[in-house]
């Protein structure tokens, strides 16, 4: 959470005089304009959001879309940029405050704005607003990324009343749309069922997407959406807005279609049970709402976000990623040094970069032999691992791979020394029966002492094992038994202060260990927001590694996340499918394995080694290329995606037959993103040893034009069949 004060302090004499005559504030990417204008009444309205306008001179034609007057004496009911409560607008407000005298209204007037060019691509704009009657000030902040066509927006709220005020609504951003219809795609989920996509047309009234889960926050609703503005979102073509909020806790998107058929979109922290007491002079910074508006469909919108994330948001967004072998699916809690050393050797045999030790390595008084005990006691279990972590790091090095470690440092089992010694560090009810989610409770990260403790877990492991190469950071429980012993009578701040505490820890880890790659995990993919991803190189999409299910899950997450941020492992889920199919599915993301090589036949192992070698050879294209989703698993019995290198000299095409019908009609797949004027060689790779490609045209050269217009016949009528095809410019 940013703590900086407003860049320019709001001088009382300057305030409240601006307004009419003020030039519109123009926030632009190369493709999009968001224009906010000051009406004669001195207030700020959205006057345009759409394709970038070619002529600055045309801005004078923009109108306020108000109902009622808009002169100084008669307030305008309209598209106010950041509407306060209790004014003439009767819809959900962006900001609501109970002032010291009990008054619940806030009306903000424009004070000033400034725009700063950060470099040739990024522009920052801040707009200062103030209430004329109460000393409340709001800064609306916007960052525009020109080439990536991304806008980020958030607000900062402060006041100078004598005593604290209560904030009960504090949106990051508000946007308005005037279209014939609005089609929303939302992403719901559960454990092993992440990012299920569903679409609906918005009708009069409100549709809310939100979570109240606190820590494993995105388990049932993911913090992003797609909004079709001229029909349901399509892959190629059509106007669509993709939006997401950077908040690793309770979030809320409110879509309100009003009586006039216009849509109001509010994004921010979920204010549920979170009326926040703000002290005089303190700044309340809301999370970033990040969005892109595309006129070329959701495919281009996704690529905008991927490019932006790699360049500006993900931890080490432009860096490499480590392939790995994890032990969770192969051993569960049941391992010892010998078994792990065997797996480390297997990692080397596979050709991956690292061995990752999962849950079950710690705690002595209450050993972590299952998920009922030990969480919180981060000393290595001496019975299982007498040599400790240093021995394992060394054993991995001896085997020729790096070593990574699983932790879940925000949580505690009641059966732990941590709980015995510090029950006051745990979110739980003092006077009610305790409810346990996965037998565990959430540490009270609003408490600075607990923040120190959690940071200390990572710091101690790293200090003792400086060559440890990676952490998988898990979070398996929502906030339950909602009561913070630290916040005492200020329980309404728990949900917000808890997340700020989590960020405090993330920030300290990143500051001290800037080059340490980390995977974000939350019982699968229940933490997947762009604020957390500033601190993590990748996230675990789902415990569901059945390759068929993964095709849908990866399709869903790819709407918002680049391939290098999405961890995908080859496991024994759905053993009815071949190891080739399972690997070809995981190949499109950040590849890993979580399987014992003992289960594989010689030719399967040989296939996997080849696939890892191909992955390493093509890593630049897979992790940093543009993603094109060619055929949707939601619409057919097949699916296909491809990565195209930024310079378009190389591409990788992945095609999957899921459960085709007998004698089904098969259509060619038209490629995308290639250079039409160039010639490319098409070659199937990732073949099982001893088998040859049956791809028609394998080894032939084609023009990009042909591949994109006529396409390739890649699909078959075999169930769970896959192909990986390398496309190389000649
Ligand atoms: C949930 C994660 O999603 C799994 O990958 C594994 O790490 C378990 N937790 C360990 O308890």
């Amino acid at each position: 959470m940013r703590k900086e004060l407003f860049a320019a302090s709001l001088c009382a004499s300057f305030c409240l005089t601006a307004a009419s005559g003020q030039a519109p504030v123009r926030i632009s990417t190369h493709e999009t304009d968001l224009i906010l204008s000051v009406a004669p009444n001195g207030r700020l309205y959205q006057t345009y959001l759409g394709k970038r306008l070619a002529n600055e001179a045309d801005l004078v034609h923009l109108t306020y879309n108000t109902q009622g007057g808009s002169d100084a004496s008669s307030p305008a009911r309209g598209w106010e940029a950041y509407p306060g409560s209790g004014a003439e607008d009767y819809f959900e407000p962006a900001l609501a405050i109970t002032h010291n005298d009990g008054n619940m209204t806030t009306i903000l007037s424009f004070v000033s704005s400034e725009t700063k060019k950060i470099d040739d691509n990024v522009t920052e704009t801040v707009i200062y607003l103030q209430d004329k009657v109460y000393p409340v000030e709001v800064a609306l902040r916007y960052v525009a990324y020109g080439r990536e066509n991304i806008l980020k927006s958030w607000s900062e709220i402060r006041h100078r009343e004598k005593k604290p005020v209560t904030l009960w609504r504090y949106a990051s951003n508000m946007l308005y749309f005037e279209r014939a219809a609005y089609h929303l795609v939302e992403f719901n989920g559960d454990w092993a069922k992440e990012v299920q996509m569903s679409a609906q047309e918005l009708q009069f009234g409100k549709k809310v997407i939100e979570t109240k889960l606190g820590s494993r926050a995105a388990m049932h609703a993911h913090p992003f959406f797609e909004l079709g503005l001229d029909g349901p979102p399509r892959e190629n073509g059509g106007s669509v807005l993709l939006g997401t909020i950077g908040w690793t806790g309770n979030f809320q998107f409110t879509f309100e279609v009003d009586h006039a058929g216009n849509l109001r979109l509010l994004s921010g922290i979920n204010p549920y049970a979170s009326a926040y007491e703000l002290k005089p002079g303190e700044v309340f910074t809301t999370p970033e709402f990040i969005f892109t508006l595309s006129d070329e469909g959701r495919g281009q919108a996704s690529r905008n976000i991927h490019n932006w994330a790699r360049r500006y948001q993900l931890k080490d967004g432009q860096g490499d990623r480590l392939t790995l072998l994890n032990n969770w699916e192969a051993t569960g809690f049941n391992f010892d040094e010998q078994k792990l050393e065997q797996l480390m050797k297997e990692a080397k045999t596979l050709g991956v970069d690292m061995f990752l030790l999962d849950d079950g390595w710690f705690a002595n008084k209450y050993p972590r032999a299952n998920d009922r005990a030990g969480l919180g006691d981060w000393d290595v279990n001496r019975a299982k691992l007498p040599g400790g972590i240093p021995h394992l790091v060394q054993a991995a090095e001896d085997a020729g791979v790096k070593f990574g470690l699983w932790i879940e440092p925000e949580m505690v089992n009641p059966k732990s020394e941590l709980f015995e010694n510090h029950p006051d560090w745990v979110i739980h009810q003092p006077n009610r029966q305790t409810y346990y989610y996965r037998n565990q409770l959430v540490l009270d990260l609003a408490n600075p002492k607990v923040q120190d403790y959690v940071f200390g877990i990572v710091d101690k492991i790293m200090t003792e094992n400086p060559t440890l190469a990676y952490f998988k950071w898990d979070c398996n429980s929502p906030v339950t038994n909602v009561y913070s012993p630290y916040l005492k009578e200020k329980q309404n701040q728990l949900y917000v202060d808890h997340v700020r505490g989590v960020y405090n820890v993330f920030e300290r880890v990143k500051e001290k260990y800037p080059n340490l790659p980390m995977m974000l995990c939350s019982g699968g993919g229940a933490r997947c927001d762009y604020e957390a991803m500033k601190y993590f190189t990748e996230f675990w999409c789902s415990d569901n590694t059945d390759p068929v299910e993964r095709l849908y899950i990866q399709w869903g997450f790819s709407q918002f996340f680049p391939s290098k941020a999405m961890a995908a492992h080859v496991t024994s889920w759905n053993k009815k499918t071949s190891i080739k199919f399972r690997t070809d599915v995981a190949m499109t993301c950040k590849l890993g394995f979580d399987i014992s090589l003992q289960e594989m036949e010689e030719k399967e192992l040989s296939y996997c080694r080849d696939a890892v070698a191909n992955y390493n050879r093509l890593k630049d294209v897979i992790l940093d290329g543009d993603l094109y989703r060619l055929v949707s698993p939601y619409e057919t019995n097949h699916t296909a995606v491809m990565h195209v290198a930024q310079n378009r000299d190389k591409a990788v095409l992945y095609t999957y037959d899921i459960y085709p019908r007998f004698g089904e009609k098969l259509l060619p797949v038209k490629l995308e993103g290639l250079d039409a004027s160039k010639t490319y060689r098409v070659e199937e790779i990732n073949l099982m040893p001893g088998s040859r490609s049956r791809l028609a045209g394998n080894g032939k050269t084609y023009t990009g034009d042909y591949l994109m217009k006529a396409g390739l016949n890649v699909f078959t009528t075999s169930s769970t069949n896959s192909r990986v095809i390398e496309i190389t410019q000649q």
Side-chain angles (χ1 to χ4, degrees):
M1 180 58 59
R2 272 165 248 88
K3 286 265 184 287
E4 75 262 28
L5 294 180
F6 290 176
S9 108
L10 298 175
C11 139
S13 59
F14 171 68
C15 293
L16 319 175
T17 52
S20 46
Q22 167 73 36
V25 182
R26 183 173 192 186
I27 299 152
S28 318
T29 68
H30 293 179
E31 310 288 329
T32 305
D33 264 328
L34 170 63
I35 297 178
L36 305 167
S37 307
V38 183
N41 64 4
R43 286 158 59 184
L44 186 72
Y45 295 86
Q46 177 186 313
T47 45
Y48 185 78
L49 171 59
K51 272 181 121 167
R52 188 183 164 122
L53 298 170
N55 304 304
E56 185 86 20
D58 284 338
L59 267 50
V60 295
H61 306 308
L62 295 169
T63 53
Y64 299 108
N65 202 338
T66 55
Q67 297 162 29
S70 60
D71 61 29
S73 58
S74 151
R77 261 179 78 193
W79 290 12
E80 195 159 7
Y82 201 70
S85 62
E88 67 289 340
D89 186 288
Y90 303 111
F91 300 92
E92 278 297 326
L95 177 68
I97 299 176
T98 303
H99 300 283
N100 284 186
D101 62 1
N103 192 306
M104 295 173 80
T105 65
T106 298
I107 297 178
L108 297 169
S109 296
F110 177 85
V111 177
S112 65
S113 77
E114 55 197 33
T115 297
K116 199 165 63 183
K117 234 178 157 13
I118 303 300
D119 56 33
D120 71 331
N121 190 45
V122 184
T123 310
E124 276 185 22
T125 303
V126 53
I127 304 174
Y128 298 102
L129 307 172
Q130 191 176 37
D131 193 316
K132 290 183 182 180
V133 178
Y134 292 92
V136 169
E137 300 159 356
V138 172
L140 302 180
R141 291 191 174 268
Y142 300 86
V143 183
Y145 299 84
R147 285 189 289 277
E148 294 79 13
N149 188 22
I150 295 285
L151 290 163
K152 255 186 4 185
S153 154
W154 70 97
S155 62
E156 294 165 353
I157 304 156
R158 75 169 178 179
H159 72 94
R160 295 203 189 95
E161 299 197 18
K162 291 212 161 49
K163 290 185 290 178
V165 301
T166 303
L167 300 183
W168 43 280
R169 286 285 185 281
Y170 33 83
S172 295
N173 172 273
M174 176 116 192
L175 294 176
Y176 300 83
F177 305 87
E178 185 177 29
R179 301 287 177 124
Y182 313 94
H183 292 264
L184 176 68
V185 174
E186 59 181 315
F187 299 78
N188 69 75
D190 200 346
W191 177 77
K193 249 186 111 197
E194 288 83 351
V195 277
Q196 306 292 309
M197 296 169 69
S198 60
Q200 61 184 276
E201 183 174 346
L202 297 172
Q203 304 291 352
F204 171 76
K206 273 191 278 185
K207 157 79 189 172
V208 176
I209 301 176
E210 63 172 20
T211 174
K212 302 189 181 88
L213 294 168
S215 48
R216 191 175 167 171
M219 182 162 62
H220 296 146
H222 295 288
F224 36 81
F225 64 85
E226 297 177 346
L227 185 64
L229 295 167
D230 54 6
R234 284 180 286 136
E235 195 61 33
N236 293 319
S239 176
V240 62
L241 181 133
L242 264 60
T244 179
I245 187 112
W247 186 244
T248 318
N250 296 350
F251 63 84
Q252 189 180 63
F253 299 117
T254 305
F255 304 83
E256 187 167 18
V257 178
D258 67 17
H259 58 292
N262 295 327
L263 173 67
R264 296 148 174 268
L265 165 57
L266 270 173
S267 306
I269 296 174
N270 188 347
Y272 162 77
S274 297
Y276 201 92
E277 206 173 88
L278 189 68
K279 295 191 201 83
E282 194 185 342
V283 179
F284 187 95
T285 304
T286 61
E288 291 169 356
F289 174 63
I290 301 145
F291 67 99
T292 182
L293 186 61
S294 159
D295 249 25
E296 295 159 62
R298 52 156 61 130
Q300 185 56 47
S302 296
R303 287 187 289 280
N304 293 345
I305 299 185
H306 299 169
N307 283 329
W308 163 82
R310 278 192 298 252
R311 185 143 186 225
Y312 296 105
Q313 195 82 0
L314 281 183
K315 183 173 185 185
D316 196 18
Q318 299 194 289
D320 196 7
R321 294 292 183 270
L322 298 168
T323 52
L324 59 84
L325 175 70
N326 189 192
N327 70 310
W328 176 246
E329 292 288 332
T331 68
F333 294 97
N334 183 19
F335 55 81
D336 56 19
E337 274 178 358
Q338 218 187 341
K339 232 185 219 178
L340 297 183
E341 283 164 21
Q342 171 61 27
L343 285 169
M344 290 170 187
K345 289 183 194 133
E346 293 185 5
K348 182 65 186 171
T349 308
L350 265 173
V352 296
D353 302 313
M354 181 172 58
F355 172 72
L356 168 63
L357 172 57
D358 214 283
D359 197 353
W361 59 267
F362 49 90
N364 288 291
K365 183 170 177 190
Y366 303 105
R368 181 74 170 168
N370 51 49
D371 64 15
R372 290 191 292 280
L375 266 187
D377 301 346
W378 296 100
D379 288 322
V380 77
N381 180 280
R382 291 280 162 193
K384 243 183 200 176
L385 304 170
I389 300 299
H391 170 80
L392 297 175
V393 175
Q394 187 57 50
E397 276 170 23
D398 293 347
V401 289
K402 294 176 194 273
F403 182 77
L405 193 63
W406 177 96
I407 49 175
E408 192 180 2
E410 298 159 61
M411 302 280 159
V412 62
N413 282 125
K415 251 176 115 177
S416 66
E417 291 186 75
L418 179 66
F419 190 76
E420 283 177 353
N421 297 334
H422 297 287
D424 55 323
W425 282 8
V426 177
I427 296 177
H428 69 302
Q429 289 287 336
N431 51 6
R432 293 181 194 277
Q433 199 187 342
T434 309
Y435 159 77
Y436 297 102
Y437 191 100
R438 209 197 189 207
N439 312 301
Q440 65 194 59
L441 295 169
V442 182
L443 291 179
D444 187 3
L445 277 144
N447 183 344
K449 274 197 196 142
V450 180
Q451 296 166 17
D452 291 346
Y453 168 78
V454 175
F455 169 69
I457 296 165
V458 176
D459 199 28
K460 181 163 178 277
I461 298 172
M462 285 308 292
T463 307
E464 291 173 0
N465 305 282
T467 56
L468 191 139
Y470 185 87
F471 278 107
K472 173 178 177 185
W473 183 303
D474 210 342
C475 162
N476 282 292
S477 176
V479 171
T480 55
N481 312 285
V482 188
Y483 181 87
S484 155
Y486 175 76
L487 288 171
K488 300 197 172 72
E489 70 287 349
K490 290 194 185 156
Q491 293 303 315
N492 43 341
Q493 305 200 176
L494 189 158
Y495 283 123
V496 171
D497 286 353
H498 181 79
V499 178
R500 289 179 175 172
V502 172
Y503 291 150
N504 175 292
V505 176
F506 286 173
E507 191 62 51
R508 287 163 72 183
V509 172
K510 187 174 174 185
E511 206 177 289
K512 187 147 182 201
Y513 304 103
N515 302 319
L516 182 66
M518 302 210 293
M519 181 205 287
L520 182 61
C521 174
S522 184
R527 267 185 170 176
C528 51
D529 71 89
Y530 267 119
E531 187 61 24
M533 292 313 293
K534 281 183 181 167
Y535 306 99
F536 291 85
T537 44
E538 61 235 40
F539 71 97
W540 180 231
C541 300
S542 178
D543 279 352
N544 191 336
T545 46
D546 174 335
V548 172
E549 295 302 324
R550 270 290 178 136
L551 287 172
Y552 293 84
I553 290 169
Q554 291 167 193
W555 185 270
F557 276 127
S558 79
Q559 308 289 318
F560 285 85
F561 294 96
S563 304
K564 72 169 14 165
M566 293 163 50
H569 296 174
V570 179
T571 76
S572 301
W573 282 53
N574 197 351
K575 270 175 141 174
K576 280 184 283 181
T577 62
S578 67
I579 197 85
K580 169 172 164 57
F581 188 73
R582 283 179 263 159
T583 309
D584 289 355
V585 171
M587 280 275 285
T588 65
C589 297
K590 207 228 79 168
L591 177 66
F593 290 77
D594 195 346
I595 189 167
S596 163
L597 301 197
Q598 318 289 328
E599 317 186 356
M600 290 190 202
E601 289 172 22
E602 194 44 47
K603 70 172 186 185
E604 292 181 319
L605 177 58
S606 164
Y607 163 82
C608 288
R609 289 167 54 104
D610 272 8
V612 171
N614 283 334
Y615 186 82
N616 284 334
R617 189 169 51 78
L618 297 168
K619 238 181 186 183
D620 287 358
V621 187
I622 298 172
L623 299 181
D624 294 315
D626 280 330
L627 177 80
Y628 290 86
R629 291 180 297 255
L630 306 176
V631 178
S632 168
Y634 280 90
E635 287 159 18
T636 69
N637 299 326
H638 311 263
T639 180
V641 297
M642 71 187 285
H643 286 114
V644 182
Q646 298 290 341
N647 65 5
R648 298 196 282 174
D649 67 350
K650 184 73 117 180
V652 187
L653 167 67
Y654 319 79
T655 70
Y656 308 92
D657 308 301
I658 308 175
Y659 297 123
R661 303 287 302 275
F662 173 80
E664 173 184 311
K665 179 173 179 186
L666 298 172
L667 297 172
V669 171
K670 294 176 184 160
L671 310 198
E672 292 176 36
L674 300 174
D675 186 331
S677 65
K678 302 251 162 76
T679 305
Y680 295 89
R681 180 166 195 272
V682 166
E683 190 189 352
E684 184 171 1
I685 58 170
N686 277 18
L687 293 164
M688 281 306 277
S691 67
R692 59 175 186 82
S693 171
R694 286 157 190 256
L695 175 70
N698 189 44
K700 278 195 179 166
T701 55
Y702 301 87
T703 62
D705 181 65
Y706 178 89
L707 291 170
M708 293 192 290
K709 288 179 181 160
L712 289 173
N713 287 307
V714 286
F715 289 140
T716 75
T717 50
S718 304
S719 291
T720 62
N721 184 58
S722 56
R723 279 182 167 144
V724 178
I725 298 163
E726 186 174 345
I727 295 164
T728 311
Q729 189 198 311
Q730 297 303 288

